[in-house]
Amino acid sequence: MSWNGSLSGAQVAAFARDGLLIIPGFYDVDSDIAPIQSGIHGVIGQVMKRHGIADARAPFVPEHFDDGYQPLLARDRSLGGEVYDAVKQIPAFIRLLGNPNHEIVFKLLRKGAIPGIAAGGYGIRIDNPNEDRFRAAWHQEYPSQLRSRDGLVFWSPLVQITPAIGPVQFCRGSHAEGLLPVLTRSDNPDAAPGAYALRLRDEAQVLQKYERIAPLTSPGDLVVVDFLTVHASGFNNSGRSRWSLQFRYFNFDDPVGLGHGWKGSFAAGVDFRTIHPELCADEGER
Ligand SMILES: O=C(O)CCC(=O)C(=O)O
Ligand SMILES: [Fe+2]
């Protein structure tokens, strides 16, 4: 069972109002999600193999696809990084990235759009328990992706999202702010890399205006996020990593994207400051 190919008028209106739309059961858990989970199970095994670690795991079952990952992290955090880099090359993941339903949703939510897949804008997040360094602080997607201002993030969990595992938090309706200025941290060598170094300017004032929602979604569910909706990672206090899919699409017909030629941002080796200097201030300049 997966999406029936249509969105109701109420869903389209809710997305326009909230900058966010949850579509339960968008993906088929057996044919879309389980093959990705199985691929991850295989990659974890290959990382074990590469490092001479005996693989004593049970055979793959979807609910426990990430068995063996916490012990890898405990042994050496860099092995987690190897898994992270490898899993976005799983064929079933790339197949789902290009699923025609993403284009259909894009065109239903953005009338007249010409959808594109943001190169470097897709991946599988692994938000590990009690780890802060790679949590996404409050942000809009556009500065870290560029391509077009009216893009969409397709976010979907590979594990059941519970309060303890740290659901993503969204400021409902915050896309109405338009493009928000950011602070950069050019002079701090200890700052997190790339997009992680950006902070919303006047973050507290922005946040207090909006209701925060933290959807508890299940594998197969889809969260569609406007590129301007302010959101942040939750805190994972559970014993399991929070695995989730991100596919990002943009619009070739967006005036801002047409203006800069659909350039990518940090993941494409571009510094956001060079494309939108008017939106940037160094943290030291405040
Ligand atoms: O999953 C998360 O913690 C953050 C997700 C996010 O920022 C995104 O998908 O754009
Ligand atoms: Fe994001």
Side-chain angles (χ1 to χ4, degrees), residues 15-206:
F15 180 77
R17 184 189 64 225
D18 296 340
L20 183 78
L21 179 67
I22 300 168
I23 309 178
F26 183 82
Y27 301 114
D28 185 293
V29 286
D30 295 328
S31 61
D32 295 331
I33 301 298
I36 299 173
Q37 294 167 322
S38 171
I40 295 172
H41 186 266
V43 164
I44 292 170
Q46 291 310 107
V47 170
M48 290 177 171
K49 186 174 184 177
R50 216 176 86 69
H51 292 278
I53 301 167
D55 185 353
R57 300 174 304 162
F60 166 73
V61 287
E63 292 70 29
H64 302 293
F65 71 90
D66 57 341
D67 268 8
Y69 184 70
Q70 297 309 317
L72 272 188
L73 282 184
R75 183 184 177 116
D76 180 347
R77 176 62 182 82
S78 74
L79 302 186
E82 286 188 19
V83 172
Y84 172 82
D85 288 337
V87 292
K88 61 182 80 158
Q89 303 170 94
I90 291 170
F93 170 70
I94 299 292
R95 278 198 293 277
L96 197 57
L97 166 66
N99 188 298
N101 284 344
H102 294 133
E103 263 176 282
I104 296 172
V105 169
F106 202 111
K107 289 178 178 169
L108 288 170
L109 294 177
R110 302 271 194 238
K111 305 280 180 271
I114 305 174
I117 294 174
Y122 50 86
I124 301 178
R125 281 188 67 99
I126 314 170
D127 287 85
N128 298 317
N130 306 312
E131 196 177 79
D132 211 38
R133 182 169 156 79
F134 297 106
R135 277 186 60 250
W138 291 105
H139 68 286
Q140 295 180 312
E141 211 57 28
Y142 178 71
S144 51
Q145 296 296 329
L146 291 175
R147 307 292 177 191
S148 80
R149 188 182 48 185
D150 63 351
L152 301 179
V153 185
F154 296 99
W155 187 100
S156 182
L158 290 172
V159 296
Q160 177 64 46
I161 302 300
T162 61
I165 211 167
V168 186
Q169 306 177 65
F170 300 92
C171 291
R172 191 203 293 271
S174 54
H175 61 313
E177 294 278 330
L179 259 174
L180 289 166
V182 291
L183 298 173
T184 58
R185 292 193 288 181
S186 56
D187 55 349
N188 181 357
D190 298 328
Y196 289 97
L198 299 180
R199 288 290 174 276
L200 281 184
R201 190 166 185 154
D202 303 322
E203 180 184 275
Q205 285 92 312
V206 174

Side-chain angles (χ1 to χ4, degrees), residues 212-281:
R212 285 185 211 171
I213 52 176
L216 302 180
T217 49
S218 306
D221 296 347
L222 173 66
V223 186
V224 187
V225 189
D226 187 298
F227 260 27
L228 298 183
T229 301
V230 175
H231 60 288
S233 302
F235 293 87
N236 184 349
N237 302 315
S238 79
R240 188 178 187 185
S241 297
R242 171 166 66 79
W243 300 74
S244 61
L245 308 173
Q246 289 79 39
F247 304 124
R248 296 185 181 86
Y249 275 56
F250 69 100
N251 175 10
F252 281 112
D253 202 32
D254 167 62
V256 176
L258 283 164
H260 59 61
W262 317 292
K263 281 207 172 47
S265 194
F266 300 97
V270 175
D271 189 329
F272 177 70
R273 288 171 294 190
T274 62
I275 309 288
H276 286 286
E278 79 285 4
L279 289 171
C280 296

